[in-house]
Amino acid sequence: MSQAMKVLAATARAATRTLGTCPDAQRAGALRQAAGALRAGRQAVLEANAADCAAAADLPAALLARLHLDAAKVEEMARGLEAVAALPDPLGRVDLRRRLDEGLELTRITVPLGVLAVIFESRPDAAVQIGALAVKSGNAALLKGGREAARTVALLVDLLRGALAAEGLPPGALQRLEDRDEVDALLALHGDVDLVIPRGSSDLVRAIQARTRIPVLGHAEGVCHLYLHAAADPAMALDLVRDAKLQYPAACNAVETVLVDAAAAPRLVPALVAALPEVAFRGCPRARALAPMAEAAEADWDAEYGAPILALRVVDGLDEALAHIAAHGSGHTEAIVTGDPEAAARFLREVDAAGVYHNASTRFADGYRYGFGAEVGIATGRLHARGPVGLEGLVTVKYLLQGQGHRVADYAGPGARPFRHEDLPPA
Amino acid sequence: MSQAMKVLAATARAATRTLGTCPDAQRAGALRQAAGALRAGRQAVLEANAADCAAAADLPAALLARLHLDAAKVEEMARGLEAVAALPDPLGRVDLRRRLDEGLELTRITVPLGVLAVIFESRPDAAVQIGALAVKSGNAALLKGGREAARTVALLVDLLRGALAAEGLPPGALQRLEDRDEVDALLALHGDVDLVIPRGSSDLVRAIQARTRIPVLGHAEGVCHLYLHAAADPAMALDLVRDAKLQYPAACNAVETVLVDAAAAPRLVPALVAALPEVAFRGCPRARALAPMAEAAEADWDAEYGAPILALRVVDGLDEALAHIAAHGSGHTEAIVTGDPEAAARFLREVDAAGVYHNASTRFADGYRYGFGAEVGIATGRLHARGPVGLEGLVTVKYLLQGQGHRVADYAGPGARPFRHEDLPPA
């Protein structure tokens, strides 16, 4: 198994040598071909998907809904392929050009990361979406979907591979794994696989993080806070709590705990409870003294509900709010609501998270809303990429040095030539 | 042990909240204070070092030389502290500013990584150097030196901590570990420590990489190649082989294998052997047919000699050179010598390594030579940092979003407001 998996990874690595060095027109061309093939093959895709859905009839309704495709979703996938094709080329971007000395020029350019492993659950469209991002950025991807989506994913990946081949690109850049056993072998390929991208529940992400030494892009938790400062506009505060909790409670960037400044609590806590009858509040003793609600247990301060439930805590000012967030935040997205610019500045400066917001809903933490055109995932780790990750999370850099026979010996010891280190405009 | 180590890491994390948000003047001030304290305390440092050296008298001479400090080295450390203090502030740099909509502005700024673990061998000056880079970039560092340097490192770290305290910064930002056992506890702190920086031999790096799930900045191997293309200028080719192999054979960026194009081999191979009598060549059969040399075993193509030994292989053109480098290179630095711009362009494009050079010695792969002002290490991984890493390898980013009560609900569903996504000049 492990040997077979190494062969797959080596095939993928070899494919990146072509995909990562071909012009953008060819990568984008393959994605547009795939969009056409998807529209042309819509009937076959829907039939395969119907067979998957029939076989998975005893799955929970929510999973089944994610598994199910219809004509509109197929068209959405095709448009997604075209949208990724149209994004600016993420490769070959020059972010440093420096003349080290006369005739000795250093350039830093973006290149593909290499080989990605993508592990996703029931949504078959994840294969198309991440496959497209991988191709656009010159990476190879090993794709492992949920067993329940096997027929649909097989067809979709074949279709993408066909489009690569039609553009003269190696289909080995996209490969599908079939067995659950293969995931363990894949996650052991430290050195052969550069990045693992899990798409699914927090449990999936956690399970993968625990089982591999390969870097994992993503986040297991989204425990986001809204801090309603003493100088918060009350109407804005209610509005933002409503949006951050209720606009889509299952999202990772939905708020889980609201911190209310003691000075504003007598007004805001009853107002919140009255304004949001669809929310189940779990409060600290001071919050419960101001409005009827359930009692928060210690575990509530670390809970990601993914549901219309809110933990509510009264804090004595900014220091206590910052300390609570430092102790319980997951480094995803944290927001303050205040009309006081100094309090806002301190919150923005001192909170350590991928996103720190002032007077805006935590739900804005998203690659599309940030204008990245695509989202690979949201990263809460500190290395490589942090926050919503667009195509730039799928590239790394290499340094090119072009000389005329330059030797280090001339820049060392007595009589050494000095370096010039003169920055040049990007070519 | 593990609990005590978690406490150390938590103290370090808390210290970064101050160090990472204070002005550069304060961080730089602490480093200048440390330089003064080092000069004032020179005698004590030299005495502690003498005691370390006496106790380590039976170490190999090379290790002892690295352990030993004299007045000039102390002055060099003090100047190093001042040089790091004078570098541009790596924190708070704005690399993206975007108006998402009227009154809703996104800014991405650099912030410290967080908590570093630095593990180094006999050189006590590594504590000062990496400690300085950590402070300048607002990071905390847990420092573990070799047992043989214990007295010297203890004094140096105390001195840096004193300088932090004198500037009103938390000394907990720099903490020294004493026990070898503590290293294992440290390397288990996935989540509490953000980055491990090993400074020492390849064996040290490999041992650390194998023992931790925390990201490791560095490289275990530097198997660099020089490819002498058919259109290489012969004098330049000899010059660059000499520089890349002999200027400092123990360096990771020294060349280990020279690939010679078959078309140029009859002239270049005998010329190389004649020009570099101090190098022990190990050749493939075709090279040995052109000049007397030892026979290369299969293992020679993957060897990092760190000594005046060169593996020599005759290849049939650029394709075979690229394939050899893809199979045996360690992703560090690879160079082509050629007068043919097309061959050079293809080599620069297709070789996958942190540094890819044309007509320049591989020995240029170095943070100081690249003009970074400091070097944390050279990374051959693809995530986070690649190539010589300056202070920018010790920072990450956070996204700040400043609104006026903006809600996601207004940008969703029927009648949704469109985003503007208008890039703004960095403030």
Side-chain angles (χ1 to χ4, degrees):
Chain A
M1 167 63 72
S2 157
Q3 197 47 44
M5 196 59 54
K6 272 189 102 65
V7 171
L8 281 194
T11 306
R13 178 77 60 196
T16 63
R17 287 178 67 182
T18 306
L19 204 63
T21 56
C22 78
D24 181 50
Q26 217 175 335
R27 285 172 271 129
L31 297 180
R32 279 189 289 263
Q33 291 247 11
L38 188 56
R39 290 191 180 105
R42 189 179 72 187
Q43 204 45 48
V45 171
L46 293 179
E47 279 164 21
N49 186 251
D52 277 336
C53 290
D58 46 355
L59 281 187
L63 283 188
L64 212 51
R66 276 184 252 162
L67 174 57
H68 180 253
L69 295 180
D70 57 21
K73 277 201 190 162
V74 173
E75 176 57 25
E76 203 180 298
M77 280 195 267
R79 289 201 185 144
L81 284 163
E82 289 165 342
V84 171
L87 288 174
D89 187 2
L91 302 180
R93 279 189 290 117
V94 173
D95 69 346
L96 179 151
R97 256 186 88 219
R98 184 171 291 167
R99 184 173 289 137
L100 303 190
D101 194 6
E102 204 54 57
L104 186 64
E105 278 190 24
L106 184 69
T107 310
R108 185 167 65 184
I109 64 163
T110 54
V111 297
L113 270 185
V115 178
L116 315 175
V118 183
I119 300 172
F120 51 102
E121 290 176 325
S122 36
R123 292 196 109 99
D125 42 332
V128 173
Q129 192 203 6
I130 301 273
L133 295 171
V135 168
K136 178 72 181 183
S137 54
N139 289 285
L142 305 174
L143 303 152
K144 173 72 182 81
R147 179 198 310 258
E148 66 284 2
R151 296 171 189 86
T152 318
V153 170
L155 205 60
L156 293 172
V157 173
D158 279 353
L159 198 147
L160 289 168
R161 287 165 58 94
L164 286 170
E167 274 287 336
L169 292 171
L174 294 176
Q175 296 177 69
R176 185 174 58 89
L177 309 189
E178 307 194 16
D179 261 330
R180 178 173 278 272
D181 296 352
E182 289 178 323
V183 174
D184 284 315
L186 181 66
L187 293 176
L189 289 183
H190 186 72
D192 297 308
V193 170
D194 298 300
L195 185 68
V196 177
I197 304 177
R199 299 281 284 205
S201 66
S202 300
D203 287 342
L204 176 77
V205 177
R206 252 190 297 269
I208 288 171
Q209 284 173 334
R211 279 156 70 198
T212 188
R213 287 178 51 216
I214 306 170
V216 177
L217 186 127
H219 62 282
E221 286 173 316
V223 181
C224 303
H225 297 78
L226 258 181
Y227 166 46
L228 312 181
H229 181 253
D233 174 87
M236 187 191 290
L238 297 190
D239 249 20
L240 290 181
V241 174
R242 182 183 292 111
D243 191 78
K245 180 76 251 183
L246 293 176
Q247 202 264 337
Y248 185 39
C252 59
N253 54 16
V255 69
E256 309 297 348
T257 296
V258 170
L259 303 172
V260 185
D261 211 288
R267 193 167 46 169
L268 283 178
V269 170
L272 272 172
V273 170
L276 303 172
E278 59 275 67
V279 172
F281 287 91
R282 301 187 186 174
C284 70
R286 291 166 80 183
R288 297 181 73 217
L290 296 167
M293 66 186 78
E295 190 178 349
E298 196 51 38
D300 280 297
W301 311 123
D302 299 305
E304 183 174 7
Y305 300 116
I309 305 171
L310 259 184
L312 189 60
R313 185 170 172 196
V314 175
V315 293
D316 285 319
L318 188 48
D319 281 323
E320 200 176 320
L322 292 170
H324 181 98
I325 292 171
H328 300 284
S330 61
H332 193 298
T333 304
E334 309 291 356
I336 185 173
V337 186
T338 185
D340 175 352
E342 279 180 37
R346 204 179 143 209
F347 189 88
L348 292 174
R349 190 170 61 237
E350 295 193 14
V351 172
D352 178 24
V356 192
Y357 291 8
H358 173 213
N359 288 351
S361 167
T362 53
R363 294 271 300 115
F364 281 103
D366 173 282
Y368 293 94
R369 293 180 192 132
Y370 280 9
F372 296 163
E375 184 177 284
V376 178
I378 296 187
T380 55
R382 287 181 171 80
L383 274 284
H384 184 57
R386 196 182 195 205
V389 180
L391 280 174
E392 73 175 7
L394 298 184
V395 301
T396 181
V397 293
K398 75 179 177 186
Y399 287 91
L400 306 179
L401 183 65
Q402 296 173 273
Q404 297 168 0
H406 288 73
R407 301 171 303 194
V408 159
D410 296 324
Y411 301 85
R417 256 184 96 85
F419 283 104
R420 287 174 55 169
H421 291 152
E422 187 183 318
D423 281 321
L424 304 172
Chain B
M1 168 63 73
S2 157
Q3 198 45 46
M5 196 58 53
K6 272 188 101 66
V7 171
L8 280 194
T11 306
R13 177 77 61 195
T16 63
R17 286 178 68 184
T18 306
L19 204 63
T21 56
C22 78
D24 181 50
Q26 216 174 336
R27 286 172 270 129
L31 297 180
R32 279 190 289 263
Q33 292 247 13
L38 187 57
R39 290 192 180 103
R42 189 178 72 187
Q43 205 46 47
V45 171
L46 294 180
E47 279 163 21
N49 186 249
D52 276 337
C53 290
D58 47 354
L59 280 187
L63 283 187
L64 212 51
R66 275 185 254 164
L67 175 57
H68 181 253
L69 295 180
D70 56 21
K73 277 200 190 161
V74 172
E75 176 57 25
E76 203 180 297
M77 279 194 269
R79 290 202 184 144
L81 284 163
E82 291 166 340
V84 171
L87 288 175
D89 187 3
L91 301 181
R93 281 190 290 117
V94 173
D95 70 345
L96 179 150
R97 256 186 86 218
R98 183 172 291 166
R99 183 173 291 137
L100 303 190
D101 193 6
E102 204 53 59
L104 186 64
E105 278 190 24
L106 184 70
T107 310
R108 185 167 65 185
I109 64 163
T110 54
V111 296
L113 270 185
V115 178
L116 316 175
V118 183
I119 300 172
F120 51 102
E121 289 175 326
S122 35
R123 295 195 106 100
D125 42 331
V128 173
Q129 193 204 3
I130 301 273
L133 294 171
V135 168
K136 178 74 181 181
S137 54
N139 289 287
L142 304 175
L143 303 153
K144 173 70 181 81
R147 178 197 311 260
E148 65 284 2
R151 296 172 189 84
T152 318
V153 169
L155 205 59
L156 293 171
V157 173
D158 280 352
L159 198 146
L160 288 168
R161 287 165 57 94
L164 286 170
E167 275 287 337
L169 293 171
L174 294 176
Q175 297 177 68
R176 186 173 58 89
L177 310 189
E178 307 193 18
D179 260 332
R180 178 174 281 269
D181 296 352
E182 290 178 322
V183 174
D184 284 317
L186 182 66
L187 292 177
L189 290 183
H190 186 72
D192 298 307
V193 170
D194 299 299
L195 185 67
V196 177
I197 305 177
R199 301 279 286 202
S201 66
S202 300
D203 287 342
L204 176 76
V205 177
R206 251 189 299 267
I208 287 171
Q209 284 173 334
R211 279 157 68 199
T212 188
R213 288 177 51 215
I214 306 170
V216 177
L217 186 124
H219 61 283
E221 285 173 314
V223 181
C224 303
H225 298 78
L226 259 180
Y227 166 46
L228 312 180
H229 181 253
D233 175 87
M236 187 191 290
L238 297 191
D239 250 19
L240 290 181
V241 175
R242 182 182 292 110
D243 191 77
K245 180 76 251 183
L246 293 176
Q247 201 265 336
Y248 185 37
C252 59
N253 54 16
V255 69
E256 309 297 347
T257 298
V258 170
L259 303 172
V260 185
D261 212 289
R267 193 169 44 171
L268 283 179
V269 171
L272 272 172
V273 171
L276 303 172
E278 59 275 67
V279 172
F281 286 92
R282 301 185 185 174
C284 70
R286 292 165 82 184
R288 298 180 75 218
L290 296 166
M293 65 185 78
E295 192 179 345
E298 197 51 37
D300 280 297
W301 310 122
D302 299 304
E304 182 173 9
Y305 300 115
I309 305 171
L310 259 184
L312 190 61
R313 186 171 171 195
V314 175
V315 294
D316 286 320
L318 187 49
D319 281 323
E320 201 176 320
L322 292 170
H324 181 97
I325 291 171
H328 301 283
S330 61
H332 193 298
T333 305
E334 309 291 357
I336 184 173
V337 185
T338 184
D340 175 352
E342 280 180 36
R346 206 181 140 205
F347 189 88
L348 292 174
R349 190 170 60 238
E350 295 193 14
V351 172
D352 178 24
V356 192
Y357 292 8
H358 172 213
N359 289 350
S361 168
T362 53
R363 293 272 298 115
F364 281 104
D366 173 282
Y368 293 94
R369 292 178 194 135
Y370 279 10
F372 296 162
E375 185 177 285
V376 177
I378 296 186
T380 56
R382 287 181 170 79
L383 275 284
H384 184 59
R386 196 182 196 203
V389 179
L391 281 174
E392 73 175 8
L394 298 185
V395 301
T396 181
V397 292
K398 75 178 177 188
Y399 287 91
L400 307 179
L401 183 65
Q402 295 172 275
Q404 297 168 1
H406 288 72
R407 302 172 302 194
V408 159
D410 296 323
Y411 301 86
R417 255 183 98 84
F419 283 103
R420 286 174 57 167
H421 291 150
E422 186 183 319
D423 281 320
L424 304 172

